[in-house]
């Protein structure tokens, strides 16, 4: 990732007031900044401090190799929009605490017609990278939705409209990783199918990463997936990955479970995807051709293509099981007789 203006910036995330979405959206940008600091810090620029009580050493990455790009990073690389003033303040504070001291955060509903009027440079082809966790539901002023979005997908579902918006806001060749509810991947409505067709036929749909239900608890228990795509280009095949564990329990507590974490394997498989197009669908990672997806009515759900190997189970013969049940009943009857005798 290169911080040079015009290459990997600007980044945008839709910061929304739906429960949990704001902090997750800002976290996309915070993690991007942290990555830049760690990647562009010289050995001399790493500061280490050891806690005398715990003996734990903390590392601070100064990002000393980013000096030539500081102005771009601090005010022109990261962008966000929301229509809740409190959320905007929290977002700006969070970014400032992580080294982005002049973030471009605005009060704005990005689905509305007013977004294009107020921010024409960003509303269309304004971004190279969009990391998004748009709301899965919520209030929508359908009459105020920009006409260009409805021309692509006529729907009131915000999760579909946001994907069309992201495509509009990306420059040609720009990329996005967007979290969507599972319904986007297999919904049979005209709008759902039309959106998936748009991604596959007129853009490069690169990956569908299935996430387990519970990754957004305690905010929501809905099953989700990540769509990775590039605006423009051509889709020949699509990378699928089955994430069953994300390193935390899938209940409301979300306790760490480092022994159950598929995310490092997912990242490794994604980085090595060009080494071969694995079509073994019993594995966590595999590829599906664009033609097969077309033939499946543009269904992008992992379960449509994943093969779950059948494991044969050995059972006792029915007569043996029946004998075991009779013996168990005899034991119960004997115990009841003893109990009855004790009670006199």
């Amino acid at each position: 990732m290169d911080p040079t203006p015009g290459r990997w910036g600007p980044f945008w995330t839709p910061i929304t007031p739906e429960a949990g979405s704001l902090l997750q959206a800002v976290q996309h940008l915070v993690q991007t900044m942290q990555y830049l600091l760690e990647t562009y810090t010289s050995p001399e620029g790493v500061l280490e401090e050891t806690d005398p009580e715990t003996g734990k050493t903390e590392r601070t990455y100064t990002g000393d190799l980013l000096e030539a790009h500081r102005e771009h990073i601090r005010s022109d690389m990261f962008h966000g929009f929301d229509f809740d003033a409190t959320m905007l303040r929290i977002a700006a504070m969070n970014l400032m605490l992580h080294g982005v001291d002049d973030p471009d955060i605005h009060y704005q509903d990005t689905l509305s017609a007013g977004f294009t009027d107020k921010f024409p440079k960003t509303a269309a082809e304004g971004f190279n990278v969009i990391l998004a966790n748009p709301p899965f539901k919520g209030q929508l002023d359908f009459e105020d939705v920009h006409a260009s979005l409805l021309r692509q997908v006529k729907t009131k579902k915000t999760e579909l409209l946001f994907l069309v918006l992201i495509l509009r806001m990306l420059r040609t060749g720009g990329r996005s990783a967007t979290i969507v509810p599972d319904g986007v991947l297999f919904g049979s409505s005209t709008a759902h199918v039309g959106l998936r067709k748009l991604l596959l036929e007129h853009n490069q749909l690169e990956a569908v990463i299935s996430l387990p239900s519970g990754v957004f608890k305690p905010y929501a228990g809905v099953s989700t997936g990540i769509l990775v795509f590039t605006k423009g280009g051509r889709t020949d095949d699509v990378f699928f990955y089955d994430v069953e564990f994300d390193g935390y329990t899938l209940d409301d507590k979300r306790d760490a479970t480092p022994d159950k974490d598929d995310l490092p394997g997912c990242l490794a498989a994604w980085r090595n995807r060009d080494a071969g197009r694995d079509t073994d669908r019993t594995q966590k990672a595999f590829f599906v051709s664009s033609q097969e997806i077309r033939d499946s009515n543009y269904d992008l759900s992992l379960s449509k293509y994943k093969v779950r190997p059948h494991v044969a189970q050995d059972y006792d013969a029915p007569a043996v099981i029946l004998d075991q049940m009779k013996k168990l009943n005899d034991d119960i009857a004997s115990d009841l007789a003893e109990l009855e005798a004790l009670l006199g």
Side-chain angles (χ1 to χ4, degrees), residues 135-164:
F136 302 157
K137 58 182 179 180
Q139 296 180 344
L140 174 69
D141 184 356
F142 186 73
E143 299 300 324
D144 191 40
V145 174
H146 196 274
S148 66
L149 304 180
L150 297 176
R151 280 196 296 269
Q152 294 287 344
V153 178
K154 190 171 181 60
T155 180
K156 293 183 179 181
K157 292 186 174 296
T158 57
E159 62 268 31
L160 302 182
L161 291 171
F162 265 110
L163 279 167
V164 178

Side-chain angles (χ1 to χ4, degrees), residues 185-186 193 196 281 288-300 304-305:
L185 305 178
F186 60 78
V193 176
R196 297 195 299 268
R281 298 183 185 178
V288 178
S289 71
S290 58
Q291 186 57 51
E292 183 175 353
I293 295 174
R294 289 188 192 95
D295 295 341
S296 300
N297 199 31
Y298 298 95
D299 194 319
L300 296 178
K304 179 71 176 180
Y305 309 103

Side-chain angles (χ1 to χ4, degrees), residues 50-108:
T50 302
D51 188 325
E53 296 183 0
T54 64
K56 184 178 180 180
T57 300
E58 297 286 346
R59 288 187 175 184
T60 300
Y61 297 89
T62 61
D64 54 325
L65 302 179
L66 293 172
E67 289 304 321
H69 310 294
R70 287 289 184 187
E71 186 60 29
H72 170 65
I73 292 172
R74 68 181 293 272
S75 61
D76 195 42
M77 188 172 184
F78 299 97
H79 306 258
F81 301 91
D82 202 322
F83 51 80
D84 185 294
T86 300
M87 298 300 174
L88 288 172
R89 289 193 292 269
I90 294 174
M93 179 184 68
N94 203 343
L95 289 168
M96 290 172 68
L97 290 174
H98 288 84
V100 185
D101 56 358
D102 187 25
D104 183 43
I105 305 294
H106 297 281
Y107 180 87
Q108 180 63 51

